[in-house]
Amino acid sequence: MLRITVHETPLQITLKLEGSLTGSWVMELEDCWRGASSNPAGRSLCLDLTEVDGVDSAGTYLLALLHNRGVQLIASGLVMTELVAGIEEQWQLRKKA
């Protein structure tokens, strides 16, 4: 199960995720991101992953795509921090190539 909460400020839109980014919940996040990014009004978009306890390969791929589109990924804990660092490193290498 995944809970997505949208927090909006004048400078930023944050999607706070709680639970597992797996299975059909990956599409739910994509739909939520599309809605949030359709009207950013110059605001940056962030994904707060501090309460995420699991991510499958489809979830990892979506996070990489969103990061590539300029979405900031915020993580805590060893597993999620490593996942985000891996995504940032892999996409940096692809951008340079």
Side-chain angles (χ1 to χ4, degrees), residues 14-26:
T14 302
L15 303 178
K16 180 171 179 59
L17 280 57
E18 300 172 84
S20 296
L21 182 56
T22 59
S24 62
W25 297 111
V26 176

Side-chain angles (χ1 to χ4, degrees), residues 30 33 60-71 87 91:
E30 183 178 5
W33 166 74
T60 301
Y61 184 73
L62 178 60
L63 292 176
L65 287 175
L66 296 181
H67 175 70
N68 190 45
R69 299 259 169 101
V71 175
I87 288 170
W91 281 99

Side-chain angles (χ1 to χ4, degrees), residues 44-55:
S44 63
L45 189 59
C46 297
L47 284 181
D48 181 346
L49 306 169
T50 58
E51 297 296 322
V52 172
D53 54 30
V55 181

Side-chain angles (χ1 to χ4, degrees), residues 30-44:
E30 183 178 5
D31 290 344
C32 192
W33 166 74
R34 288 184 191 280
S37 65
S38 67
N39 190 18
R43 297 178 285 182
S44 63

